[in-house]
Amino acid sequence: MNIKFSYYHIEKCGGSFLERILNDYFLKFIDKKKIFKSCFINDKFTHFFPNNVEIIKNSDLFDFNNLEIILSHMNYKDNDYLINCDFSFISLRNPIDRVISHYYYFVYKNTKIHLKDLNNTEFNNFISLGNLQTFKLGGGKYDLNKALNNIEDVSFFLILENFDNDIIELNNKLNNYYNVNFEFNKNNINKNKNNFNYKEFVDNDLYKKIKEKCEKDIILYNTILKKKNLEKLIIK
């Protein structure tokens, strides 16, 4: 499948508000049926996963054969449904903070059990998500070499810890690419985007324990930081 722009949304990397910002931006000059954004189809919230392609194709919400934009959870270069795009975009986050945020957003709100109170089995079952960014950039596999090799193919990485600078750069790059002059809608930016205070729930020992399980993501994250000249954010 060939399209113009894809945003590969990774959980807890600012993706929900980035999808809103980008959707509003593209709607200013692209037909809404040519933009896929994760949404409800037939009462099911649908992402652009290979097993959902036929559902999306058959939906009246989209002009599938003429899609130009995809804003969704996806694996980069997924061999089960390969997407070729002119401009690819991924947002990333400090892996340790990302996995803690992931736990408190998806798990804690249902269980009310803090990370520090998990037994070893529960902790190990969850912490496999510590390398989720590698999994996504590695095409749906925890393949660090593949993820690192894919870095050069990605048009732009936004680092959540450098959000204010990167969102301006992304806006400028898209304006240049499409030869337009539209600003992102700042009202869509989550003012609490980066203030998750995990320190209240995660002590130094637990933080180190989590860090040990995020080894691949940390290597990937640090490599991209160096590429973007953001050495000040490198995890040591």
PDB file of all heavy atoms in Angstrom, residues 23 30 37 39 68 116 120 132 147 181 190 218:
ATOM      1  N   ASN A  23      -4.752  15.155  12.625  1.00  0.00           N
ATOM      2  CA  ASN A  23      -6.034  15.028  11.928  1.00  0.00           C
ATOM      3  C   ASN A  23      -6.610  16.404  11.601  1.00  0.00           C
ATOM      4  O   ASN A  23      -7.045  16.663  10.471  1.00  0.00           O
ATOM      5  CB  ASN A  23      -7.012  14.233  12.786  1.00  0.00           C
ATOM      6  CG  ASN A  23      -8.288  13.891  12.045  1.00  0.00           C
ATOM      7  OD1 ASN A  23      -8.269  13.283  10.985  1.00  0.00           O
ATOM      8  ND2 ASN A  23      -9.419  14.289  12.607  1.00  0.00           N
ATOM      9  N   ILE A  30      -7.071  18.191   2.963  1.00  0.00           N
ATOM     10  CA  ILE A  30      -7.250  16.837   2.427  1.00  0.00           C
ATOM     11  C   ILE A  30      -8.649  16.336   2.787  1.00  0.00           C
ATOM     12  O   ILE A  30      -9.112  16.524   3.913  1.00  0.00           O
ATOM     13  CB  ILE A  30      -6.179  15.873   2.986  1.00  0.00           C
ATOM     14  CG1 ILE A  30      -4.785  16.287   2.492  1.00  0.00           C
ATOM     15  CG2 ILE A  30      -6.462  14.421   2.567  1.00  0.00           C
ATOM     16  CD1 ILE A  30      -3.649  15.472   3.073  1.00  0.00           C
ATOM     17  N   LYS A  37      -7.936   7.672  10.702  1.00  0.00           N
ATOM     18  CA  LYS A  37      -7.573   7.863  12.103  1.00  0.00           C
ATOM     19  C   LYS A  37      -8.315   6.804  12.897  1.00  0.00           C
ATOM     20  O   LYS A  37      -9.495   6.545  12.633  1.00  0.00           O
ATOM     21  CB  LYS A  37      -7.980   9.266  12.567  1.00  0.00           C
ATOM     22  CG  LYS A  37      -7.709   9.567  14.032  1.00  0.00           C
ATOM     23  CD  LYS A  37      -8.135  11.002  14.356  1.00  0.00           C
ATOM     24  CE  LYS A  37      -7.962  11.332  15.840  1.00  0.00           C
ATOM     25  NZ  LYS A  37      -8.893  10.561  16.695  1.00  0.00           N
ATOM     26  N   CYS A  39     -10.652   4.739  14.923  1.00  0.00           N
ATOM     27  CA  CYS A  39     -12.021   5.150  15.211  1.00  0.00           C
ATOM     28  C   CYS A  39     -12.908   3.914  15.377  1.00  0.00           C
ATOM     29  O   CYS A  39     -12.482   2.779  15.171  1.00  0.00           O
ATOM     30  CB  CYS A  39     -12.562   6.020  14.076  1.00  0.00           C
ATOM     31  SG  CYS A  39     -12.695   5.121  12.500  1.00  0.00           S
ATOM     32  N   GLU A  68      -4.580   8.759   1.783  1.00  0.00           N
ATOM     33  CA  GLU A  68      -3.318   9.493   1.740  1.00  0.00           C
ATOM     34  C   GLU A  68      -2.630   9.536   3.105  1.00  0.00           C
ATOM     35  O   GLU A  68      -1.405   9.656   3.177  1.00  0.00           O
ATOM     36  CB  GLU A  68      -3.556  10.931   1.260  1.00  0.00           C
ATOM     37  CG  GLU A  68      -4.046  11.038  -0.172  1.00  0.00           C
ATOM     38  CD  GLU A  68      -4.155  12.482  -0.632  1.00  0.00           C
ATOM     39  OE1 GLU A  68      -3.505  13.361  -0.022  1.00  0.00           O
ATOM     40  OE2 GLU A  68      -4.882  12.744  -1.600  1.00  0.00           O
ATOM     41  N   LYS A 116       4.873  -1.361  42.729  1.00  0.00           N
ATOM     42  CA  LYS A 116       5.736  -1.857  43.805  1.00  0.00           C
ATOM     43  C   LYS A 116       5.105  -3.006  44.572  1.00  0.00           C
ATOM     44  O   LYS A 116       5.803  -3.750  45.278  1.00  0.00           O
ATOM     45  CB  LYS A 116       6.076  -0.709  44.774  1.00  0.00           C
ATOM     46  CG  LYS A 116       4.878  -0.122  45.508  1.00  0.00           C
ATOM     47  CD  LYS A 116       5.297   1.037  46.397  1.00  0.00           C
ATOM     48  CE  LYS A 116       4.097   1.679  47.090  1.00  0.00           C
ATOM     49  NZ  LYS A 116       3.412   0.770  48.019  1.00  0.00           N
ATOM     50  N   ASN A 120       6.512 -11.205  41.919  1.00  0.00           N
ATOM     51  CA  ASN A 120       7.490 -11.390  40.835  1.00  0.00           C
ATOM     52  C   ASN A 120       6.852 -11.853  39.542  1.00  0.00           C
ATOM     53  O   ASN A 120       7.214 -11.387  38.452  1.00  0.00           O
ATOM     54  CB  ASN A 120       8.570 -12.384  41.271  1.00  0.00           C
ATOM     55  CG  ASN A 120       9.530 -11.778  42.276  1.00  0.00           C
ATOM     56  OD1 ASN A 120       9.698 -10.554  42.323  1.00  0.00           O
ATOM     57  ND2 ASN A 120      10.162 -12.624  43.070  1.00  0.00           N
ATOM     58  N   LEU A 132       8.599  -2.108  24.257  1.00  0.00           N
ATOM     59  CA  LEU A 132       7.529  -1.975  23.266  1.00  0.00           C
ATOM     60  C   LEU A 132       7.926  -1.094  22.082  1.00  0.00           C
ATOM     61  O   LEU A 132       7.510  -1.337  20.947  1.00  0.00           O
ATOM     62  CB  LEU A 132       6.263  -1.412  23.927  1.00  0.00           C
ATOM     63  CG  LEU A 132       5.026  -1.320  23.038  1.00  0.00           C
ATOM     64  CD1 LEU A 132       4.586  -2.717  22.583  1.00  0.00           C
ATOM     65  CD2 LEU A 132       3.877  -0.620  23.767  1.00  0.00           C
ATOM     66  N   ALA A 147      15.071  -2.776  14.404  1.00  0.00           N
ATOM     67  CA  ALA A 147      14.585  -1.458  14.812  1.00  0.00           C
ATOM     68  C   ALA A 147      15.638  -0.390  14.555  1.00  0.00           C
ATOM     69  O   ALA A 147      15.334   0.695  14.039  1.00  0.00           O
ATOM     70  CB  ALA A 147      14.193  -1.477  16.289  1.00  0.00           C
ATOM     71  N   ASN A 181       0.770  26.478   4.521  1.00  0.00           N
ATOM     72  CA  ASN A 181       1.217  27.298   5.648  1.00  0.00           C
ATOM     73  C   ASN A 181       0.154  27.290   6.745  1.00  0.00           C
ATOM     74  O   ASN A 181      -0.489  28.293   7.011  1.00  0.00           O
ATOM     75  CB  ASN A 181       1.501  28.728   5.187  1.00  0.00           C
ATOM     76  CG  ASN A 181       2.143  29.563   6.275  1.00  0.00           C
ATOM     77  OD1 ASN A 181       2.817  29.039   7.167  1.00  0.00           O
ATOM     78  ND2 ASN A 181       1.932  30.879   6.224  1.00  0.00           N
ATOM     79  N   ASN A 190      -2.192  18.563  24.885  1.00  0.00           N
ATOM     80  CA  ASN A 190      -2.451  18.210  26.274  1.00  0.00           C
ATOM     81  C   ASN A 190      -1.481  18.974  27.164  1.00  0.00           C
ATOM     82  O   ASN A 190      -0.284  18.722  27.156  1.00  0.00           O
ATOM     83  CB  ASN A 190      -2.272  16.695  26.447  1.00  0.00           C
ATOM     84  CG  ASN A 190      -2.598  16.233  27.852  1.00  0.00           C
ATOM     85  OD1 ASN A 190      -2.732  17.029  28.762  1.00  0.00           O
ATOM     86  ND2 ASN A 190      -2.720  14.924  28.006  1.00  0.00           N
ATOM     87  N   ILE A 218      16.072   1.336  25.637  1.00  0.00           N
ATOM     88  CA  ILE A 218      17.021   2.373  26.042  1.00  0.00           C
ATOM     89  C   ILE A 218      18.090   2.557  24.969  1.00  0.00           C
ATOM     90  O   ILE A 218      18.457   3.688  24.618  1.00  0.00           O
ATOM     91  CB  ILE A 218      17.653   2.037  27.408  1.00  0.00           C
ATOM     92  CG1 ILE A 218      16.589   2.183  28.521  1.00  0.00           C
ATOM     93  CG2 ILE A 218      18.841   2.946  27.700  1.00  0.00           C
ATOM     94  CD1 ILE A 218      17.048   1.699  29.883  1.00  0.00           C
TER      95      ILE A 218
END
